[in-house]
């Protein structure tokens, strides 16, 4: 067996045969190609944002200044829709119900999610199965969940009344009673909202520096002290993200109300999005519905700005 030796003179001869190797691309060319690739990759998302969000938002804002009933030509009325909103009792009820829904669902679901995430972050048997089970409601259609929960709330055959009867409670007409209709939707929404928050908190817990928790344990901190004084403060950015996304989602609650109560009884479970739907597609008051949508948009923007302010405050405190 003989080894083939390539002499330097032979290599030089081959380079001369292939010609001068091409010069590497300049930095400007590389940046231009990267920028062009970035634009193409973001094109689908940008198109969706412009066509389905930006353009409808602008059209809704413009129509909020018109009296538009779909079958008649739009008539410019200035701020009359907004003035009418200020004295609309139905809109006021929907706004209060939305605030009650948000103020209840968000903190309760966040507290339960943290507790469940901490439990699922331990070394448990079948931990992956538990995580999947908690996340399943998040990927299940809300209408399907609402149908199941409507049967659970059935006054005669529902599971909740059967369980309560063992403890001596009387029958409750969950979805037919104005006192309990919104509460029933809140309970279902808290259960459905757990999966997404648990995943976020699990990701946050797994990114915490282990040496800090170990140092607290060596210093004699109890599990409760480590949770309240170490774990919870270090989850600050996760708290802010979960809070903002949860509040925005709660302001946009619709499917549960539509499927379970249709806003009743006596508007006791009507929320802003359902009132917008009624004005637009049942009462054909498109301009008025657009004004309600603008008010909802401003509420969400206010929440976003508050969230950004809280985030900067937490970062400033951490920096000091």
């Amino acid at each position: 067996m003989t080894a083939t030796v390539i002499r330097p003179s032979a290599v030089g001869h081959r380079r001369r045969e292939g010609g001068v190797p091409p010069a590497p691309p300049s930095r400007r060319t590389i940046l231009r190609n990267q920028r062009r690739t970035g634009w193409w990759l973001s094109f689908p998302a940008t198109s969706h944002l412009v066509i389905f969000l930006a353009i409808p938002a602008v059209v809704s804002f413009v129509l909020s200044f018109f009296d538009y009933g779909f079958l008649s030509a739009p008539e410019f009325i200035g701020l009359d829709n907004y003035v009418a909103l200020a004295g609309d009792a139905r809109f006021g009820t929907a706004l209060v119900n939305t605030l009650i829904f948000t103020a209840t669902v968000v903190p309760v679901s966040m507290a339960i999610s943290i507790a469940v995430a901490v439990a699922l972050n331990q070394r448990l048997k079948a931990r992956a199965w538990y995580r999947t089970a908690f996340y399943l409601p998040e990927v299940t259609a809300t209408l399907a969940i609402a149908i199941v929960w409507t049967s659970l709330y059935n006054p005669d055959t529902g599971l909740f009344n059967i369980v309560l009867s063992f403890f001596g409670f009387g029958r409750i007409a969950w979805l037919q009673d104005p006192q309990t209709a919104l509460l029933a939707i809140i309970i279902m929404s808290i259960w459905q909202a757990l999966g997404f928050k648990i995943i976020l908190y699990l990701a946050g817990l797994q990114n915490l520096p282990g040496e800090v928790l170990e140092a607290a344990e060596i210093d004699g901190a109890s599990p409760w002290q480590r949770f309240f004084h170490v774990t919870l403060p270090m989850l600050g950015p996760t708290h802010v993200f979960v809070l903002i996304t949860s509040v925005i989602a709660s302001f946009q609650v619709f499917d549960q109300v539509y499927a379970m109560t249709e806003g009743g009884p006596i508007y006791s479970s009507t929320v802003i999005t359902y009132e917008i739907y009624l004005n637009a597609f049942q009462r054909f008051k498109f301009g008025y519905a657009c004004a309600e949508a603008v008010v909802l948009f401003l509420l969400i923007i206010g929440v976003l700005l508050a969230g950004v302010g809280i985030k900067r405050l937490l970062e400033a405190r951490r920096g000091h």
Side-chain angles (χ1 to χ4, degrees):
M1 186 173 185
T2 57
T4 302
V5 178
I6 301 176
R7 297 178 180 176
S9 58
V11 175
H13 179 68
R14 290 176 185 175
R15 285 182 179 174
R16 285 194 296 273
E17 287 181 348
V20 179
S26 64
R27 180 177 176 81
R28 176 179 295 180
T29 303
I30 294 174
L31 291 176
R32 185 172 60 248
N33 292 336
Q34 290 179 343
R35 192 179 300 113
R36 186 182 304 155
T37 303
W39 278 111
W40 278 112
L41 290 176
S42 63
F43 178 75
T46 305
S47 301
H48 176 272
L49 182 68
V50 171
I51 296 173
F52 295 104
L53 294 177
I55 294 177
V58 173
V59 172
S60 296
F61 180 74
V62 174
L63 282 180
S64 68
F65 299 102
F66 285 82
D67 180 13
Y68 181 42
F70 186 68
L71 298 177
S72 57
E75 179 185 356
F76 182 76
I77 57 174
L79 296 175
D80 286 359
N81 283 330
Y82 294 96
V83 174
L85 275 180
D88 190 342
R90 280 201 302 261
F91 180 76
T93 302
L95 178 61
V96 171
N97 288 340
T98 303
L99 294 176
I100 293 174
F101 180 90
T102 303
T104 309
V105 170
V106 173
V108 174
S109 61
M110 286 181 67
I112 297 175
S113 299
I114 294 173
V116 175
V118 171
L120 293 180
N121 200 38
Q122 310 301 317
R123 295 180 179 177
L124 301 173
K125 290 184 179 179
R127 184 173 60 177
W129 187 91
Y130 289 126
R131 292 178 179 178
T132 305
F134 276 105
Y135 193 71
L136 272 180
E138 184 66 29
V139 295
T140 305
T142 304
L143 286 177
I145 293 175
I147 292 172
V148 173
W149 276 73
T150 300
S151 65
L152 296 177
Y153 283 132
N154 188 291
D156 299 319
T157 60
L159 178 63
F160 290 108
N161 278 349
I162 294 175
V163 173
L164 290 176
S165 65
F166 282 107
F167 297 96
F169 291 96
R171 193 187 67 156
I172 300 176
W174 291 93
L175 300 177
Q176 292 75 30
D177 189 341
Q179 302 295 326
T180 58
L182 184 60
L183 175 63
I185 294 175
I186 287 174
I187 294 173
M188 193 215 80
S189 301
I190 290 173
W191 171 82
Q192 188 189 15
L194 292 180
F196 181 64
K197 297 180 180 63
I198 289 173
I199 292 297
L200 293 176
Y201 276 119
L202 271 174
L205 288 171
Q206 292 172 3
N207 286 325
L208 294 182
E211 58 272 16
V212 178
L213 296 172
E214 291 175 1
E217 187 176 1
I218 293 173
D219 290 341
S222 65
W224 286 108
Q225 290 174 326
R226 293 200 299 273
F227 176 72
F228 284 106
H229 299 292
V230 180
T231 302
L232 279 183
M234 286 196 299
L235 285 174
T238 307
H239 293 317
V240 174
F241 181 77
V242 173
L243 177 66
I244 292 174
T245 55
S246 301
V247 170
I248 292 174
S250 296
F251 273 125
Q252 297 176 340
V253 57
F254 175 80
D255 296 351
Q256 300 93 316
V257 176
Y258 177 81
M260 298 175 70
T261 63
E262 296 185 347
I266 321 176
Y267 298 104
S268 61
S269 62
T270 299
V271 292
I272 294 180
T273 52
Y274 192 74
E275 182 67 11
I276 293 172
Y277 162 76
L278 291 178
N279 282 321
F281 301 105
Q282 290 196 6
R283 301 167 188 149
F284 297 105
K285 299 165 63 177
F286 284 97
Y288 194 74
C290 288
E292 291 176 320
V294 170
V295 173
L296 178 61
F297 176 76
L298 293 177
L299 285 174
I300 293 176
I301 291 296
V303 171
L304 286 176
L305 293 177
V308 171
I310 293 173
K311 184 173 182 294
R312 288 180 178 177
L313 182 62
L314 292 175
E315 290 176 349
R317 288 185 176 181
R318 193 180 308 155
H320 287 83

